[in-house]
Every structure is written in structure tokens, then in C-alpha cells.
Amino acid sequence: MDKNLSNIIYKARKTHSLAKNEIVDLLSTDSINCELFDEADKVREENVGNSVHLRGLIEFSNICKQNCLYCGLRRDNLNIERYRLEPQTIIDFAEKAKSYGYKTVVLQSGEDDYFTVDKLQYIIKNIKALDLAVTLSIGEKSREEYAAFKAAGADRYLLRIETTDKELYRALNPGMSFENRVRCLKDLKDLGYEVGTGCLIGLPNQTNESLAEDILFFKDLDADMIGVGPFIPNADTPLGDESGGTFEKSLKVMAITRLLLPDANIPATTAMETLNKNGRIIALKSGANVVMPNVTEGEYRRLYALYPGKICINDTPAHCRNCITGKVTGIGRTISEGFGFRPKKR
Ligand code: 5AD
Ligand code: SF4
Ligand code: FES
């Protein structure tokens, strides 16, 4: 065992802070992976305990006006059948999610302007009336729009920064700006949302230095939730022939994130399970404390094709709920009965 690397992990565990070069050192070798994953698991247990928060994911529209090069929902992809759920259907799905015991629903979509502030307020209010926490994941909006969703009762917002490497960001997200994305995250914080962000791992030309910057960005923002996952090349996009991210590297970024943000909510992401059939359980044992099972019904799961090989596309919400309970309890963890807000001492 490399003593220097062990010292870095020890320092992270004690102080929850690291310099960029120390993060790069951890990312640049696999010799300390086991120790890193074990320490992240301990930090998770000490700070957020043994219960796992489940969030029911409703993918309500795969229509997107943006054109991110990595994503299957990009507007130039003519190979997917597009759909959007009507507000009442979304509310019905939320009601079902509640009946399966979920305490939070995550409403996710492409950037679809059909869903005006009025429509979203109607949806949010009706779901809040079910006594569920509501997380939105619907992209970049104005501060006024974010404020309106908050006023309607939205509790949390997920908006991955995707990469903090500005050059990479510019190349992969045409027509979008890094500065505006950061503005969105700051506005969301300011408005009192619990804010989630995260990044893709294994983007073309992404370096360990840039991944280290991503982790420091999460820390700097003091993100309440951080979801990271491998970039999985999609043949219907311009990046279809790239090699993509690995499971191990994604797990490492996630574990280091746990060391630096001890009380954040960190999901074991679906993309990780796509690359490793036991991926979410391994992630839960390496720093994660959240899982977001899909509660979208019917063929919509298949159509929400961000990347190929997405898990659970032929499963029902009931099946996924049972499946995940079995997996979580199988490793001696429990399913949380609360809303699962960040337990931060503010
Ligand atoms: N592989 C993995 N994740 C992807 N996302 C989009 N395209 C891909 C892909 N090809 C992620 C983005 C986005 C989230 C909803 O899905 O990080 O924020
Ligand atoms: Fe649209 Fe999000 Fe996909 Fe970009 S990553 S194309 S904004 S759904
Ligand atoms: Fe969907 Fe296991 S979570 S089948």
C-alpha cells in the first residue's frame, strides 16, 4: 500500500477536504481502490446512517430542445419516438408511487417548453397534496420560473453540471453556457431548494484533473445531492463511437465525493448498474445512500433512452420496488421511512 495515498485518504476522512493534486493522485491509480471504498462506506455510515432513501423517478417527457452531444434525447436525434405525459397522468403516477411507499418523487424530463410554469405548478401542487417530497429535474430555467416552482411546493432540484471543464462543456453542450448552468445552481440554492448536481465520467478528452475540479465544485457549491455516473456512448448521437466511462472510475469519483461531502445524499446511479449488474449495491457499499427506482409505467421507460442498456426498461414499478427492497435489505441496510432531506446541521 502506497503510504502517501493512504495519508491522503486518512486526511480526507478526518478533514473532509483535499487539494486538487491529492484528488488527482487518488484518481490516477487503482492500487488504493479498496481502501478508498471502505473509508467512503464508513463516512457514509457515520454521517447518514444505514438507511437508504428511495426516490420514485417519473420520466414525464423525452422531448428536449437542447442538443447535448452525449444524450439520446438531444433534439437532432430523429431515431427515437418522442412522448410527453399529460399532467393528470404524471399525478396518477405519483399517486401510485406513494402507494408503493415512496416518500419522494423525482419529476424528470428533457427541456420541454410544453410544460409551462402554470402546468408545472398544477402538477407540483397536486403531488404535494399527496404528502410527497417533490424533486424536479427539468433543466435550465429562469430564476423567476424556479421561484414559481418553489412557491408551488417543490422541495429539491437536480441539475448536473455535467463537467466543470469549460472547453469540454462548450464542445459537448452546443448553444448552452457553463456560466448559465452555474447561475441556475446558485439561484436554486438561494431560493431554498435542496440542490443536486453531478457529472459524467469518461467523456472524450476528460482528464483526472478535470474530474478533480468537478469534485471540488460539488464541495464548493455545498451540494445537497450529488449524482455521478459513467458516460455511456449512444449510437444515435455524435459520440456513439467513443469508448465511454468505466464503472470503477465512476465509483472512485463517487467515493471521493462522499469523503468530501460526508452528509450529502448520494445516489447509486442507474448508469452504474448498466455497466455492472451489481453496480448499485457496490455503490451503496462505497459511499452511496440513495436509490432512484423508476416508477414510470409502460413503454415510456424504453423511450426515455439517454443511453443504451438502461436497466429496468421492461419492469413494472411494483417489480422494481420489490427488487430494490430485496437488494438493500440483503446487504443489511434498511429502507428509510422519512422524506430523506439532507441531515445537515445548519
Ligand atoms: N450516458 C450517461 N449519462 C447520460 N446522461 C445523458 N446522456 C448520457 C449518456 N450517454 C445523463 C446526463 C443528464 C442525465 C439526466 O443523464 O448527465 O444530466
Ligand atoms: Fe436534453 Fe438533458 Fe439530454 Fe442535454 S442531457 S439533450 S438537456 S435531456
Ligand atoms: Fe428495476 Fe431491479 S430495480 S428490476
Side-chain angles (χ1 to χ4, degrees), residues 9-56:
I9 294 175
Y10 183 80
K11 173 184 165 188
R13 180 159 164 46
K14 291 291 159 207
T15 67
H16 308 302
S17 79
L18 286 179
K20 180 177 170 184
N21 66 310
E22 294 172 321
I23 300 175
V24 171
D25 285 351
L26 294 180
L27 290 174
S28 303
T29 168
D30 283 329
S31 66
I32 41 71
N33 286 6
C34 285
E35 189 182 348
L36 172 62
F37 300 148
D38 284 352
E39 293 302 316
D41 193 43
K42 284 186 204 142
V43 170
R44 185 270 311 155
E45 184 171 9
E46 286 163 10
N47 291 277
V48 293
N50 276 323
S51 66
V52 173
H53 303 295
L54 300 185
R55 324 290 198 194

Side-chain angles (χ1 to χ4, degrees), residues 70-72 108 160 162 181 200 230-234 271 306-307:
Y70 40 80
C71 178
Q108 188 172 83
R160 286 182 172 179
E162 313 290 6
R181 209 156 178 90
L200 285 166
F231 155 57
I232 302 172
N234 183 329
L306 300 163
Y307 51 80

